[in-house]
Amino acid sequence: RGIGREVCLALARAGASVVIAAKSATPQPTLPGTIHTVAAEVEALGGKALACVVDLRDEAACVECVRMTVAHFGKVDILINNASALWWQNITETPTKKYDLIQGINARGAFIMTRECLPHMRKHGWGRVVCMGPPIPRSYKAYSGKTAYYMAKCGMTMVALGAAAEGKKHGITGNALWPATIIESLASENFQLGEKSTWRKATILADAVMQLCADGSTTGGQLIDDTYLRTRGATDHDIAQYRYDPNVEPPRLLADEADSGGGGGGVSGDWDVRRGDVKTLNKDKTRSKL
């Protein structure tokens, strides 16, 4: 669903065989869509799909997913580390169980999947690793209310940078990719991350991924989606097509956070937001600026 689904469909349209790896094997009332429904959409586009049930916290499941991929398709060319757990809370409000969860899914999961895929990419002399991770903050102020989250998400960024460094001699690029704005997704809806008119569609990240797959010179980047797309020729008109509301240009809240190093130095003001558990959403909203 969301960003992952859009990336899968974009890859399928380009002729790639796609492995959909996630926990969502059966539909849930609050979580529409499964790996099987996305696989069916890929096949409806004429592509080949393999649905793998994977809990990123389970190393054996990650290893088996890559083994199945190679057995089914013969190789691995592209890895998109997209799965993520959100937790925007203070250090003192972060239970160890929650810390372990976001580290296990975000940093550790991305590391294991990348470790397992790189040898296959090296074997064929070509590969692309993209991690949905933010630019590493330049100021300590950015960590306020997001220390555990940044440790996990910037871990994903570091995995991409490591893949770039270690893959340079083997035709492998590695890049971290991050949205400039809030993106339309189930998480954005469930956590009520502002008005929908201030969002962009998930297709902007899918299109950025497709550009990175075709781009052999950009590597080791900590990229913002719209900024990167502009380097690839996108115009203001092109970027406007990603608006959730065609009449509203979304504020670049997440890009401002990255550019300013946190602490409200961006043009959109403070990024003081608390989220992490839908059960405490109302409480979190009362002490947030979103």
Side-chain angles (χ1 to χ4, degrees), residues 36-111:
H36 303 294
T37 60
V38 175
E41 289 184 274
V42 167
E43 291 170 347
L45 291 170
K48 296 178 180 179
L50 175 65
C52 288
V53 179
V54 177
D55 182 342
L56 285 172
R57 296 169 294 178
D58 182 348
E59 179 184 11
C62 295
V63 172
E64 176 63 10
C65 175
V66 177
R67 188 201 67 77
M68 289 176 59
T69 299
V70 175
H72 198 81
F73 293 121
K75 59 178 180 174
V76 177
D77 292 319
I78 301 165
L79 172 65
I80 312 299
N81 287 310
N82 174 64
S84 181
L86 183 149
W87 185 257
W88 296 338
Q89 302 289 355
N90 289 334
I91 294 172
T92 55
E93 298 173 295
T94 301
T96 302
K97 184 177 181 180
K98 181 63 69 172
Y99 175 87
D100 289 343
L101 172 70
I102 61 176
Q103 280 286 348
I105 294 174
N106 298 353
R108 183 176 181 271
F111 180 87

Side-chain angles (χ1 to χ4, degrees), residues 200 204 230 233-243 246 249:
R200 280 181 179 155
I204 188 170
R230 289 181 189 281
T235 64
D236 289 346
H237 175 77
D238 295 327
I239 300 299
Q241 305 309 304
Y242 299 114
R243 296 172 181 172
E249 179 61 25

Side-chain angles (χ1 to χ4, degrees), residues 239-272:
I239 300 299
Q241 305 309 304
Y242 299 114
R243 296 172 181 172
Y244 186 91
D245 182 335
N247 300 311
V248 178
E249 179 61 25
R252 300 176 78 251
L253 291 174
L254 303 184
D256 289 341
E257 171 76 353
D259 292 342
S260 69
V267 296
S268 297
D270 266 344
W271 178 241
D272 184 9

Side-chain angles (χ1 to χ4, degrees), residues 124-146:
H124 294 279
W126 196 95
R128 300 287 184 266
V129 176
V130 180
C131 294
M132 298 297 181
I136 298 170
R138 299 191 303 271
S139 168
Y140 73 93
K141 295 179 181 179
Y143 294 92
S144 178
K146 299 184 184 67

Side-chain angles (χ1 to χ4, degrees), residues 131-162:
C131 294
M132 298 297 181
I136 298 170
R138 299 191 303 271
S139 168
Y140 73 93
K141 295 179 181 179
Y143 294 92
S144 178
K146 299 184 184 67
T147 300
Y149 180 73
Y150 269 136
M151 290 173 72
K153 288 300 289 184
C154 290
M156 294 180 71
T157 299
M158 291 178 183
V159 168
L161 301 182

